Each structure stands twice: as structure tokens, then as C-alpha cells.
Amino acid sequence: MFNLSRYFSTLSLILIGLAAGLLGLLYREVSVHQMTALAEDRNVAMAQIFENALGVPLSGLMAASVGKDASMLQESDESLEMQASVTTLMRGTAMAKVKIYNRLGVTIFSTDPTQIGESSLDNPGFKTALSGTVISDLTHRNRMDTFEGVRSDIDLLASYIPISSEGKAVEGVFELYQDVTPFMASFRHMLWIVTAVVAGVFALLYLMQLLVVRRAQGILHDQAERIEAARSTLEIQIGARTQELRRANRLLEDEVAERRQAESKLNYLAYHDPLTGLANRRYFLERLEASLSDATEKNERVAVLFIDLDQFKQVNDSLGHGVGDELLVSVAATLCEHVRLIDMLARLGGDEFICVMESVRSDEEVAMLAQEVIAAFDSPFCIGGHELFLSASVGISIFPNDGTSVGDLLRNADTAMYRAKAMGRGHFHFYTPEMTRDAQERIKIEMLLRRALDSGELSVHLQPQVEAKSGRLVGAEALVRWDSPELGSVPPARFIPLAEDSGIIITLGTWVLRETCRQVMCWKDSGFELPQVSVNLSVKQLERPEFVDTLLEILDETGIEPSRLKLEITESVVMAVDDAFSLLDRLRKIGISLALDDFGTGYSSLSYLKMLPVQQLKIDRSFVIGIGTNPEDEAIIRSVMALAQSLDFEVVAEGVETAEQAAFLSASGCHQLQGFLHGSAVAPAEFRARWASLPR
């Protein structure tokens, strides 16, 4: 409905404001014009008085001004006589200042003697008066030199008045400054009063009109509501009659249509993925079962390709599941559009897709299909303003070589896919029987490792770290060992990567840290003090938000001083952990020492190295081995020593096995040595037996 009150109030307010503003401006202009005209008349009259009273001195001064400089004019008799006469005439009047110019624009007289002799030939007011016209200008001065002294905050009317005898040309120009401050003060006061009265009258007029219009608006609104209510009632009655007539015919049609639609929807959902529209697991299994039966009859081969997206989890975690769902839809559309050799494509769930290739003639044909799948991810996916780059890993199993049942083929394709992932992103791999044996072995080792954590099969061994120059024991590195009843002595290289992949490393790392601290304190209580012990950290440990709390709990539980504990991290760990610098800084503030392990084999970026709160660099054993045989390794070691010295880092060399290596490292400035030369990693009892009796 048209809101009369709103539009009227807005329009009236604008018009009244414009009218009030225009009236105010008009009143001001008229008042200022009248006041200026009156003041100008006074200045003209005063000029006439000056001209009559000073006729002889003025004429003499006009004549004497030609060819004289300013100082001569100021000191002339005519000027001194004029000064006394003008001051007498101005006293008691509103005149503030008087200046007289000759026809050449030279100031021949001024109540301010310093201005005598100045040229005003280019002054617009002087030029106008010289043509015989009186001109005035109303100004405000913050400071003004008058004949009676300096005055502040003064309103002036400056008039330029021609000096001429009757019937003669203009001989000079008067410049008179009249003090109009009282007039302007009175004018401003009156302007405020007039403005307030006008504003009050217009406001009262606006309010009265607004009340009338609001009343009219209310009446119109009530009438509109009654009309609308009557119209709605009539429409409801008509609609009800119409619905009664149609309902009987539509009931049967709607029931039949709904049943057909429900059956169609249920059938579609039973065999299709609701997100991507691809075949779902049920449809895929039924179709693959039929394909295998048909291939058996025709003696053909069938390939199953298991597709897994490599970076999909990061998309879900960083951008949300909404973007992840849109990405899956785009992936499905891309695969359908760009991969030509697929006989059936399905989504098993999550980010896992699977496709079937029937009537396989050669492995090269299957490899071509896998390459087409991987190539479909070469271009980025544009989702919600984001450019997302993905890759896919593909595992392949072929009927009947790699299995004769649907379950075997799926399982083996899945196993091959994990082998492809291990090769790096964007690879494919055919299934081989060795993969199943490897997978079964991994499962067995993982199961036994989980049991080993609870059954006491793990132990901590320690390898000494000695001072390079003296051979004195300064610390030890804690290394975990596993003695399995089923597998025997399992090397760390075999079970540590598995612990990383499975997540067991978090529990294992916490156990090693607690057991190491407990052993050091047990030695201390029995009289053997190990100055410092080093423990390696995994990236998965540092990624846990509760890691620092767990560490503090272990320190408190075992009673070990933080300065006795040194945590070793690799450069790859630093780069993999979000906000690693602040986390390491927290550890350093606790009092724990930090060492950068395997230095030189990772990123080795000086830009982050100088910001890391580490105190020690560990030279990797791969460089130490080359001492005496490889000048390049020796050059690298010297460079590391120089870098460490400039950044005030302590240096530990790993893998020291010969006296020649130890001598080179010591001469190069290495602080500590670790390796078989000074002892391998041994059980705590053997470690103490060897080092407790030696001087420290």
C-alpha cells in the first residue's frame, strides 16, 4: 500500500527545508546589501569632508608627490600637516584607516605612515575608482592597524572613492576603512532571531500538516483492510468450491502418479549414488558379477580399476564437506566425459571410485585406461571460487589372473592402489601376488606391535654421545628396540615406518619418552648421572594438540629436569607441522633442548634455520662416511661447522666409526661425536657398566 505519511513527511520536510534556507539566504543578502549601501554612503560623505577640509594641503601633496620617494613624502610638510588634520577629523567617528593615492597609484598619504610610497597601480579597487566609480568591499580582519592602534576581530567596509574637482578629471583616490563591527554584530543577532522564528513557524506548519495526513492515512488504511478482508473471504469461498469440484478427479490421478514416482525413485536410489548419480556399490557388484559370468562363457578378461583421490581429505578439512561434495560431483562428471574406455563407473563411497573394462585384450590396453583416468586430473577443478588441484592413484586387478570372484578382484585392486600411492601421487599399479603377502605381513607386524606395547617386548637402548676433544660422556641418544617372540629381533627400519603409517607411533613415542626419562632418574637416584638424553620425535606426535601437556605430565611424573632432556626433530618434521616455530618455542621456554637431526639431507633452508629455537645440529652419517675418501663430504662438513659457529649452534656428528673421522671432526670444530667408535646402542645395564666407572 502507498504510504502517504512517509512520502508526505519526506517531501514536506525537503520543501520546507529548501524554503527556509532560501528565505534565510535572501534575508541575509538583502540585509548585508542595505548595510553596505549605508556604510558606503557614510564613507563617501566622510571623503567629501576630508576633501573639503584638506583642500590646500591635499592639492599641495598631490603636486609634491611627483618624483619624490617614500621617505621624502613621509617627511614633507604637507604630509605632516595632513596627518594631524586627518587624525583630528577621524577622532570620534567609525573611520579606522585612511589612504590617499595619486593618479599613478602611489600612496601619498596613510594613517599608517609606513605605507606611504607604496604602489597600488594593479589594485582592482583603485582602478575602478580611477574610472570615476565608487566601489566598496565588506571584510573581516583578525588584526588591523588603525590610526588609534592595533585592533583585533574587526569587521570593515573598505571603499575606494575618486577625488575630483567639479568638471575635472579624477586626480586621486580615497581608500577609507569604516569599522562596521557593531552593525555586523547586530545583524548576526537579528539573523539568528529571524532564523529561529522562521524555523519555528515552518516546524509548526510541518507538524500540523503531518497530523492531518497521518489521520487521513489511518482512515485510508482501515478502509483498505476492510476491503482486503472482504476480497480474501470471497476468494477463499470461490477457491473452496473450485477445490471441491476438482478434488474428486485429482485424487485418483495423484495417487497413481505418486506411486509411480516413489517406485521410480526407490529403484534409482537402490542402484545409484545420490550425490554423483553414478552406479553405487550394489549396482556395481551386480553388474561386475554379470560381467564375470559373461567373460567366463566367452573366455575373456575383465579389468577392475580402483581409483582413490590423493588430496581429497585436505579439501574436506580445509574448505568443508560442502565443497568436498561439489568436488566429488565434478570428478564424476570429468571421468565420464574424458575417459573413453570405461564400460562402467561407480562410486563406492567417500573419495573412492571404481571402474570396469570388459573384453580386455592386453595389459597395455588397461594401462592406457589407467593413464586416461590419471590424465583427467591434469586440469584444476573450479569449485566455489577455488582452484583445486587433485591427483588420483589407481590399482588394477584382472580377471581371471588376479581373482575369479568379485570380492577377490576388489580386494586385490585395493591392494594395488595402496602400492600406487606408495610410489607417489598420480600413479597406477597392477596387482601382483607379492602385494598380498606384503599386506598380510604388514597387518601381522602391526598387530604384533600393538601387542608389544602392552607385553613388555619393547625396550630403550642408549648410544653414547661424547665430547669430541676429550672423549668425556656428555649424553646419550635413546633408541627403541623390539624383541618379538614370533619375529625375533625386529630392526627399527622395519617397524617404525609401519608405526608412522598406522598411528601407533603416537603411543610408541610417548612410551619411549616416559621410559627414557624414568631410566635417567633411576640412574641418578643410584649415583650414576647422565648429563643429557636425546629422544627422537615423530611428526605425528608434534601434530597432536595435547603433546605439550603430555610432555609436561611426563616431566612432572618422573621428576627429570627439563635441561636434561633433548628432543631431536628432522627438517622434514619442521616443514610438515603447522606453526612449528611457535610449538618449538614453547618447548624451548619449558627448558628443553632441541636438536635438528639429519642436518644437510633435508631442506636446509637458512631462512627458517635462523628462526628455529634449536641449540644443536646433528650432521648426518652419510657425510661422515665420506671423510678421508670424499672431499665433497669434507667440504660440506666444514661449511656446516662455519654455519653453526656463526649461528651459535652446537654440532653433533653421527655415524663416527674411525679415529680418522673423529680427528677430522674435532679439528673442524665439532663439539660431540656419536657412533660405533665410542659405542653402539646398548641396554641400560650395559651402558651403565661401561660408563659409570669412567671419569666424567
Side-chain angles (χ1 to χ4, degrees):
M1 180 181 293
F2 181 78
N3 195 321
L4 181 61
S5 298
R6 182 191 305 163
Y7 287 103
F8 168 78
S9 60
T10 302
L11 182 60
S12 296
L13 188 62
I14 293 172
L15 293 176
I16 288 175
L18 289 174
L22 291 174
L23 286 175
L25 289 174
L26 180 61
Y27 172 75
R28 184 182 185 284
E29 290 300 321
V30 170
S31 299
V32 170
H33 179 73
Q34 290 178 348
M35 190 274 293
T36 301
L38 290 174
E40 184 180 275
D41 290 343
R42 288 185 180 181
N43 281 352
V44 171
M46 196 67 189
Q48 188 62 51
I49 292 173
F50 284 147
E51 188 174 351
N52 294 337
L54 305 172
V56 175
L58 180 59
S59 298
L61 191 59
M62 286 278 189
S65 64
V66 179
K68 290 187 178 181
D69 57 17
S71 59
M72 294 177 64
L73 287 173
Q74 292 174 7
E75 297 173 0
S76 65
D77 295 337
E78 292 86 350
S79 178
L80 296 176
E81 183 180 352
M82 287 274 291
Q83 194 71 246
S85 301
V86 168
T87 301
T88 302
L89 291 172
M90 290 175 64
R91 188 169 289 110
T93 68
M95 291 297 112
K97 188 175 182 179
V98 175
K99 293 175 68 176
I100 302 176
Y101 306 96
N102 63 13
R103 285 186 57 82
L104 299 178
V106 177
T107 304
I108 62 174
F109 174 78
S110 174
T111 53
D112 181 0
T114 60
Q115 294 181 334
I116 295 176
E118 294 178 353
S119 176
S120 299
L121 190 60
D122 294 330
N123 189 321
F126 170 79
K127 291 181 178 180
T128 302
L130 197 62
S131 65
T133 304
V134 178
I135 185 170
S136 299
D137 181 33
L138 184 63
T139 61
H140 179 83
R141 299 278 184 92
N142 294 326
R143 184 179 182 278
M144 175 70 177
D145 291 326
T146 68
F147 77 100
E148 294 178 333
V150 177
R151 296 177 61 182
S152 301
D153 199 21
I154 182 172
D155 292 305
L156 298 166
L157 182 74
S159 298
Y160 291 87
I161 305 167
I163 303 173
S164 60
S165 301
E166 194 159 328
K168 294 183 180 179
V170 176
E171 299 176 352
V173 173
F174 275 113
E175 182 182 357
L176 275 63
Y177 289 85
Q178 182 182 165
D179 182 5
V180 294
T181 303
F183 297 102
M184 291 303 296
S186 175
F187 162 70
R188 293 189 185 99
H189 178 69
M190 184 57 67
L191 182 61
W192 276 109
I193 294 175
V194 171
T195 302
V197 171
V198 171
V201 170
F202 277 123
L204 180 62
L205 176 62
Y206 171 76
L207 290 174
M208 292 176 64
Q209 289 179 337
L210 181 61
L211 291 174
V212 172
V213 172
R214 286 179 63 85
R215 176 59 180 163
Q217 175 76 19
I219 294 172
L220 292 174
H221 185 268
D222 292 341
Q223 292 177 349
E225 286 185 342
R226 287 195 292 270
I227 293 172
E228 180 64 22
R231 186 182 65 81
S232 299
T233 302
L234 183 60
E235 287 183 353
I236 291 172
Q237 293 174 349
I238 294 173
R241 289 298 181 91
T242 303
Q243 291 298 326
E244 289 175 2
L245 294 175
R246 295 178 178 174
R247 188 174 295 116
N249 293 330
R250 282 169 40 187
L251 282 176
L252 184 58
E253 295 176 0
D254 290 346
E255 184 177 352
V256 173
E258 287 176 4
R259 181 175 297 178
R260 289 176 179 172
Q261 184 179 6
E263 290 176 354
S264 176
K265 187 174 182 179
L266 287 173
N267 185 63
Y268 181 84
L269 292 176
Y271 290 98
H272 290 83
D273 174 44
L275 178 63
T276 62
L278 297 176
N280 61 9
R281 178 182 288 272
R282 176 182 176 183
Y283 187 17
F284 173 78
L285 295 177
E286 292 180 4
R287 172 70 182 276
L288 181 57
E289 190 72 50
S291 296
L292 297 182
S293 298
D294 188 55
T296 302
E297 293 177 3
K298 297 179 180 179
N299 196 26
E300 294 179 342
R301 297 198 301 164
V302 176
V304 176
L305 287 80
F306 200 107
I307 306 168
D308 186 84
L309 307 184
D310 291 326
Q311 300 97 354
F312 182 74
K313 184 178 183 300
Q314 290 90 319
V315 174
N316 258 352
D317 293 343
S318 59
L319 301 179
H321 291 279
V323 174
D325 289 346
E326 291 186 46
L327 180 58
L328 290 174
V329 173
S330 295
V331 168
T334 300
L335 290 174
C336 291
E337 180 181 354
H338 293 93
V339 183
R340 298 173 288 105
L341 301 176
I342 291 178
D343 289 309
M344 183 178 66
L345 178 65
R347 178 184 176 224
L348 296 186
D351 61 340
E352 296 175 341
F353 295 83
I354 196 162
C355 64
V356 172
M357 183 180 186
E358 300 173 341
S359 303
V360 173
R361 290 171 292 188
S362 65
D363 289 352
E364 289 75 15
E365 192 177 37
V366 180
M368 185 183 301
L369 172 58
Q371 288 169 347
E372 285 187 1
V373 170
I374 293 171
F377 294 85
D378 288 344
S379 299
F381 295 89
C382 297
I383 307 294
H386 302 280
E387 276 197 348
L388 304 177
F389 291 86
L390 293 182
S391 59
S393 298
V394 182
I396 306 168
S397 63
I398 299 178
F399 170 86
N401 307 64
D402 301 329
T404 56
S405 68
V406 171
D408 289 342
L409 290 171
L410 286 178
R411 182 171 54 255
N412 293 339
D414 185 42
T415 301
M417 183 272 295
Y418 278 104
R419 179 60 60 89
K421 272 189 177 293
M423 297 168 59
R425 298 172 181 171
H427 287 82
F428 69 90
H429 206 289
F430 285 90
Y431 170 78
T432 60
E434 291 79 9
M435 293 181 188
T436 297
R437 290 194 292 271
D438 292 345
Q440 291 172 347
E441 183 182 7
R442 285 174 61 88
I443 293 172
K444 179 181 178 181
I445 294 176
E446 181 180 340
M447 179 191 67
L448 293 175
L449 181 58
R450 291 183 186 277
R451 190 190 69 182
L453 286 168
D454 301 322
S455 58
E457 299 174 17
L458 299 170
S459 61
V460 173
H461 285 204
L462 296 111
Q463 185 174 29
Q465 295 174 337
V466 303
E467 191 175 59
K469 295 187 179 299
S470 65
R472 180 175 57 89
L473 179 69
V474 293
E477 181 177 0
L479 301 168
V480 64
R481 295 292 183 262
W482 180 17
D483 190 11
S484 170
E486 291 85 355
L487 304 175
S489 179
V490 185
R494 188 177 177 190
F495 70 86
I496 292 295
L498 177 62
E500 288 273 3
D501 294 339
S502 62
I504 301 175
I505 194 68
I506 297 172
T507 305
L508 178 61
T510 302
W511 180 86
V512 171
L513 189 58
R514 179 178 280 107
E515 181 64 17
T516 302
C517 293
R518 187 200 63 77
Q519 181 63 63
V520 171
M521 294 308 294
C522 181
W523 278 341
K524 180 182 179 182
D525 294 340
S526 63
F528 173 59
E529 292 202 17
L530 182 65
Q532 194 172 52
V533 64
S534 302
V535 180
N536 290 284
L537 289 184
S538 162
V539 62
K540 292 188 179 296
Q541 288 178 269
L542 290 176
E543 286 177 340
R544 303 290 290 188
E546 71 276 9
F547 171 72
V548 175
D549 294 332
T550 301
L551 177 62
L552 291 173
E553 179 183 332
I554 292 173
L555 295 176
D556 183 61
E557 176 186 322
T558 60
I560 189 172
E561 302 95 325
S563 59
R564 283 182 183 266
L565 180 61
K566 178 167 61 182
L567 299 179
E568 295 188 8
I569 55 174
T570 63
E571 297 171 83
S572 58
V573 168
V574 175
M575 302 305 291
V577 176
D578 292 335
D579 201 14
F581 296 100
S582 62
L583 175 59
L584 297 180
D585 190 55
R586 287 182 63 190
L587 296 176
R588 187 71 192 99
K589 288 178 179 177
I590 294 173
I592 294 173
S593 299
L594 298 172
L596 196 61
D597 199 10
D598 299 337
F599 184 75
T601 62
Y603 299 92
S604 299
S605 170
L606 297 180
S607 63
Y608 81 81
L609 181 61
K610 67 180 181 180
M611 295 186 292
L612 284 176
V614 300
Q615 294 78 49
Q616 194 176 79
L617 302 180
K618 297 194 73 174
I619 300 177
D620 188 68
R621 66 181 70 248
S622 61
F623 300 115
V624 175
I625 292 173
I627 294 176
T629 60
N630 191 334
E632 293 180 355
D633 287 342
E634 294 179 356
I636 291 174
I637 291 174
R638 292 191 186 96
S639 298
V640 172
M641 296 300 177
L643 173 65
Q645 184 177 5
S646 64
L647 295 178
D648 198 23
F649 287 151
E650 192 176 43
V651 180
V652 180
E654 296 181 299
V656 181
E657 299 180 1
T658 67
E660 180 186 2
Q661 293 170 350
F664 176 84
L665 291 166
S666 178
S668 300
C670 184
H671 303 89
Q672 297 179 20
L673 306 178
Q674 178 181 341
F676 291 161
L677 178 64
H678 297 284
S680 60
V682 295
E686 184 179 347
F687 185 92
R688 175 174 180 172
R690 176 176 178 182
W691 293 98
S693 60
L694 298 178
R696 296 189 299 277

